[in-house]
Amino acid sequence: MSRSALLLGATGLIGNHCLQLLLQDESYEKVVALVRRPLTLLHPKLEQCQVDFEQFERHAAQTRVQEVFCCLGTTIKKAGSQAAFRRVDFDYPHQIAQLACREGAQQFLLVSSLGANPASPIFYNRVKGEVEAAMAKLPFRAVHIFRPSLLLGDRQEFRLGEKLGEYAYKATSFLWQGPMRKYRPISARTVAAAMVHFAKQDQAGLHIHESFQISKYNLAVGIAKS
């Protein structure tokens, strides 16, 4: 079966890996990337659509796909305020999900975060939990939510906190066992591989994928390790 996908956050750490995997996968005949600035990548299956993220409604035609991969995300520091952070991490994903649902998309795959909880006293975790809850209410055939821990990989932008966390993990990797395994950092490529893998399973319903569960997936193709 030929598949079509819409990708948000193609320039991000997980989104870039997701884009590469979707383009390499023979199951997908079309991959639409909503971007603020053109990608340097050219590929016969890739359709780039420059968007004003404040006016998603103008791009309804681009959301006529089977699956939506949402890898959008920022930090409060980069966004500049809690309100701006919420705009990127809640409003944009929710708006595009509503639009894609109306246009017939069947699956929505969302990158959330470890600790996401709409009742959390921590603002970041609360917003992540709220967007999860909002997605779960939309009438997609399937919603997959991925909750990775600290992401490992080379970002285009430098994030001091994440880089320090990566160094600390490498120095204490022997500690991340048993009850601590859910906090173990995870490769961004592994998260992307898991997203593509589960999209192709066509499992109806709401599915929550915790970080320690995502980590089972092969870095290259998203096949569960034995």
Side-chain angles (χ1 to χ4, degrees):
M1 180 182 72
S2 295
R3 314 176 79 97
S4 58
L6 175 69
L7 174 62
L8 291 88
T11 60
L13 187 56
I14 296 176
N16 181 258
H17 287 301
C18 196
L19 177 61
Q20 298 294 336
L21 291 171
L22 289 170
L23 293 176
Q24 293 167 13
D25 196 311
E26 295 181 356
S27 301
Y28 289 87
E29 64 175 4
K30 181 176 75 169
V31 180
V32 181
L34 296 188
V35 294
R36 286 193 176 95
R37 295 178 299 278
L39 303 172
T40 57
L41 175 66
L42 297 176
H43 192 283
K45 293 198 295 188
L46 176 62
E47 296 182 12
Q48 296 190 45
C49 179
Q50 280 187 265
V51 300
D52 177 351
F53 278 73
E54 297 295 331
Q55 300 182 30
F56 278 127
E57 291 289 344
R58 293 184 177 182
H59 307 285
Q62 280 71 40
T63 67
R64 292 171 192 154
V65 296
Q66 293 165 304
E67 300 155 10
V68 181
F69 293 78
C70 183
C71 304
L72 283 178
T74 187
T75 63
I76 297 175
K77 181 178 179 180
K78 183 179 179 181
S81 67
Q82 289 187 344
F85 170 82
R86 184 180 175 83
R87 188 75 178 139
V88 174
D89 277 59
F90 181 91
D91 292 343
Y92 292 167
H94 191 215
Q95 289 169 7
I96 199 67
Q98 290 176 308
L99 183 58
C101 196
R102 291 201 302 268
E103 295 296 328
Q106 295 298 301
Q107 295 197 83
F108 196 92
L109 300 101
L110 173 73
V111 177
S112 181
S113 177
L114 179 71
N117 185 339
S120 174
I122 301 171
F123 178 78
Y124 179 92
N125 290 350
R126 185 165 67 251
V127 172
K128 292 295 188 181
E130 288 172 351
V131 74
E132 288 185 5
M135 297 305 176
K137 294 177 182 178
L138 295 175
F140 288 105
R141 181 175 180 273
V143 172
H144 289 270
I145 294 170
F146 299 82
R147 293 175 174 170
S149 182
L150 176 70
L151 293 171
L152 302 178
D154 296 324
R155 292 186 183 272
Q156 294 180 354
E157 64 184 35
F158 180 75
R159 294 184 179 180
L160 178 60
E162 290 187 357
K163 188 55 66 177
L164 291 175
E166 184 174 340
Y167 292 148
Y169 166 67
K170 290 178 180 177
T172 61
S173 58
F174 62 94
L175 296 175
W176 304 94
Q177 308 295 329
M180 293 296 292
R181 65 175 180 162
K182 69 178 181 179
Y183 301 108
R184 183 187 302 159
I186 186 170
S187 163
R189 187 170 174 81
T190 297
V191 179
M195 294 177 77
V196 176
H197 170 78
F198 280 108
K200 293 166 62 177
Q201 300 309 298
D202 294 314
Q203 299 172 331
L206 173 65
H207 306 273
I208 306 292
H209 307 281
E210 299 291 353
S211 196
F212 73 92
Q213 297 168 322
I214 300 169
S215 65
K216 296 187 303 181
Y217 289 83
N218 183 278
L219 297 184
V221 294
I223 303 300
K225 295 178 182 177
S226 58

